[in-house]
Amino acid sequence: MTPEEKQQFLKSGLLEGITTQEELSTMLKELHSAALEAMLQGEMDNHLGYSKHEQSLHSNARNGSSSKHVKTEFGKSQIQVPRDREGSFEPIVVPKNQSTATPIENIIISLYAKGMSVSDIEEELQQIYGYKLSTSAISIITDKVNQRVLDWQNRPLEAVYCVVWMDGIVFKVRQSGKVINKTIYLAVGLNREGYKELLGMWLGHNESAAFWQGVLTDLKARGVEDILVTVTDNLNGFTQSIKNVFPTAGTQICVVHQIRNSARYVVWKDKKAFTADMKLIYNAPNKEMAAQELERFAQKWNDKYPYAVQSWQRNWEELTVFFDFPLEIRKIIYTTNLIENLNGKIRKYTKNKMAFPTDDALKKSVYLSLMQITKKWTQPIHNWGLILNQFLTIFENRVQL
């Protein structure tokens, strides 16, 4: 509290009749509870798009409130949390399933994670919460995220990962007066307990195999000794980059990427039949049958679309690694869809940013998005007990390194 705020508080008359420390604590607790409820109402106004005593223009509307016990610096309090009919209200100041009120610093960081600019946050705090903070003060708070990113990026990793998925996501960043494309490289590992784990993010220019080799070297420096299977797109040279750092890793090229890339060369009227024939290849029960389907595919389409057919033939060994595994493992390693879904969720958080002002701003925003998204990674993948036993059978001692 600033000296001016203290003077205003003393003149307000709120302390009249307060004679003991206990009475003061009770009054402060009640004031704080009232402030939290007012902030929640402000959040609800913003969520619905109209204030409490205005008429709703939408189907969603207020739906009473529910009692909730929260812990604050003044002790445990009971407050009323407003509800909406659709159940879509997600308060920031007192988050769902949490019993602790959020400090203003965390509110600012949460708003920043949702893609809001510093000036947008300044306006939001003033309109919803009644806080007046300068953009420079907000920037100081969000800059603290940089140290979090650094600590997280350099944390030690486990010795073995059963699967590592890798992919990049492109953003626009301002640099030297121009807007250019830069890539955030992401790696997600499946550890020996069956949990997905975000291994890191790395910022570079356009995606390249050389940069990915640096990423893999970083993983090794942070403690990774072995990867059983990697799953990547068909970027030229990617497989060799992996083998340079983890020579015993199986290297599966994403079949979905392969299908998309092949279909780019096909005219619209042929795409349905062409795609159906590709499905016969990767849906085959084993590698031998898949090879026969590829031969039929080549005989039918090679004259018309030789580049697409040759792409399958050129990448055949890496496209068919998944056939070496039981069906349960095949389902999780034949595609990078897992990490592409992650990229899609990042886009939802950063969609308000046409271009990031600096590299640091991009890294902060993506990091905060990732922390929000991965909070839900609380369960092992489906059928993990069976899958683990399959990995143990195939790789024996490597899983138990």
Side-chain angles (χ1 to χ4, degrees):
M1 188 178 285
T2 65
E4 292 78 9
E5 288 172 330
K6 287 179 181 176
Q7 288 297 321
Q8 189 174 359
F9 182 68
L10 291 169
K11 291 177 182 178
S12 67
L14 288 170
L15 294 179
E16 290 181 10
I18 301 296
T19 58
T20 67
Q21 182 66 38
E22 185 179 350
E23 289 175 342
L24 177 62
S25 296
T26 300
M27 184 202 71
L28 290 173
K29 187 193 299 187
E30 291 172 352
L31 283 173
H32 193 254
S33 297
L36 286 177
E37 289 180 352
M39 293 167 77
L40 286 165
Q41 290 294 345
E43 285 198 68
M44 180 61 84
D45 290 350
N46 185 65
H47 175 67
L48 295 175
Y50 70 96
S51 62
K52 190 171 184 178
H53 301 294
E54 292 177 344
Q55 187 172 358
S56 171
L57 300 176
H58 309 285
S59 59
N60 199 13
R62 285 172 174 78
N63 188 30
S65 61
S66 59
S67 296
K68 181 171 185 173
H69 287 93
V70 294
K71 298 173 186 174
T72 72
E73 57 188 301
F74 303 106
K76 192 176 284 188
S77 300
Q78 184 175 1
I79 61 171
Q80 297 299 311
V81 180
R83 298 180 303 194
D84 62 333
R85 287 177 184 169
E86 295 179 355
S88 56
F89 178 47
E90 296 278 352
I92 295 174
V93 67
V94 185
K96 284 184 177 179
N97 305 316
Q98 291 187 28
S99 60
T100 305
T102 306
I104 186 62
E105 180 173 306
N106 288 356
I107 292 174
I108 290 169
I109 289 173
S110 180
L111 293 172
Y112 192 85
K114 289 175 169 57
M116 295 182 68
S117 67
V118 168
S119 57
D120 289 338
I121 294 172
E122 179 188 26
E123 185 178 345
E124 187 94 347
L125 290 174
Q126 178 67 31
Q127 288 184 352
I128 297 180
Y129 302 117
Y131 282 113
K132 180 61 179 174
L133 279 180
S134 66
T135 54
S136 59
I138 294 169
S139 293
I140 289 169
I141 291 172
T142 59
D143 283 345
K144 292 181 180 180
V145 177
N146 288 334
Q147 187 59 47
R148 292 192 201 175
V149 174
L150 190 62
D151 293 343
W152 173 78
Q153 186 66 44
N154 291 309
R155 75 197 189 283
L157 299 174
E158 294 189 18
V160 178
Y161 288 91
C162 297
V163 185
V164 172
W165 296 267
M166 291 178 275
D167 202 1
I169 178 171
V170 178
F171 294 93
K172 295 190 179 299
V173 183
R174 297 188 183 278
Q175 183 173 298
S176 303
K178 298 179 180 179
V179 176
I180 63 172
N181 288 338
K182 291 197 175 181
T183 302
I184 290 283
Y185 297 76
L186 296 173
V188 175
L190 180 66
N191 64 30
R192 286 174 289 182
E193 288 72 48
Y195 290 89
K196 294 177 293 183
E197 180 183 341
L198 188 63
L199 305 183
M201 69 173 192
W202 299 261
L203 176 64
H205 289 284
N206 293 335
E207 191 174 11
S208 69
F211 193 94
W212 273 117
Q213 183 162 316
V215 168
L216 291 155
T217 302
D218 181 48
L219 295 180
K220 194 160 194 175
R222 289 162 58 200
V224 181
E225 298 177 29
D226 194 10
I227 298 172
L228 305 184
V229 185
T230 63
V231 188
T232 67
D233 61 19
N234 59 353
L235 182 70
N236 189 36
F238 206 158
T239 295
Q240 188 55 51
S241 294
I242 295 166
K243 293 294 187 183
N244 289 343
V245 184
F246 295 100
T248 59
T251 50
Q252 170 69 45
I253 287 178
C254 173
V255 175
V256 174
H257 272 92
Q258 177 67 26
I259 291 169
R260 287 183 197 149
N261 291 338
S262 299
R264 284 167 49 201
Y265 305 100
V266 179
V267 298
W268 183 82
K269 69 182 181 67
D270 287 336
K271 275 193 177 179
K272 187 174 181 180
F274 188 87
T275 303
D277 288 343
M278 284 193 290
K279 285 183 179 179
L280 294 175
I281 300 171
Y282 71 85
N283 281 337
N286 54 58
K287 190 171 181 177
E288 291 72 24
M289 290 292 293
Q292 292 178 25
E293 292 297 344
L294 176 63
E295 190 174 341
R296 294 190 189 97
F297 177 75
Q299 290 172 355
K300 181 176 179 179
W301 297 106
N302 193 58
D303 290 342
K304 200 168 187 180
Y305 303 112
Y307 189 86
V309 173
Q310 289 164 18
S311 177
W312 276 90
Q313 294 169 333
R314 184 172 57 252
N315 295 312
W316 184 247
E317 291 305 317
E318 285 77 28
L319 281 167
T320 54
V321 168
F322 74 100
F323 282 117
D324 296 335
F325 297 90
L327 289 174
E328 290 77 14
I329 295 180
R330 288 187 194 183
K331 289 177 182 178
I332 64 173
I333 67 169
Y334 86 99
T335 176
T336 57
N337 273 355
L338 177 147
I339 205 164
E340 289 186 61
N341 289 339
L342 176 63
N343 289 345
K345 290 174 183 175
I346 293 170
R347 290 286 189 205
K348 288 181 180 179
Y349 279 97
T350 59
K351 64 184 178 182
N352 295 329
K353 301 282 189 181
M354 298 298 292
F356 288 88
T358 63
D359 288 355
D360 277 347
L362 171 58
K363 286 190 286 188
K364 282 193 295 185
S365 188
V366 172
Y367 166 79
L368 291 168
S369 302
L370 290 168
M371 295 304 102
Q372 292 292 322
I373 295 163
T374 55
K375 279 180 183 177
K376 297 181 180 179
W377 292 4
T378 58
Q379 298 293 325
I381 65 169
H382 181 62
N383 272 346
W384 175 244
L386 175 60
I387 292 170
L388 176 60
N389 277 283
Q390 292 171 346
F391 274 124
L392 286 166
T393 300
I394 297 166
F395 293 102
E396 298 180 350
N397 297 331
R398 285 177 64 187
V399 180
Q400 303 180 50
L401 184 66

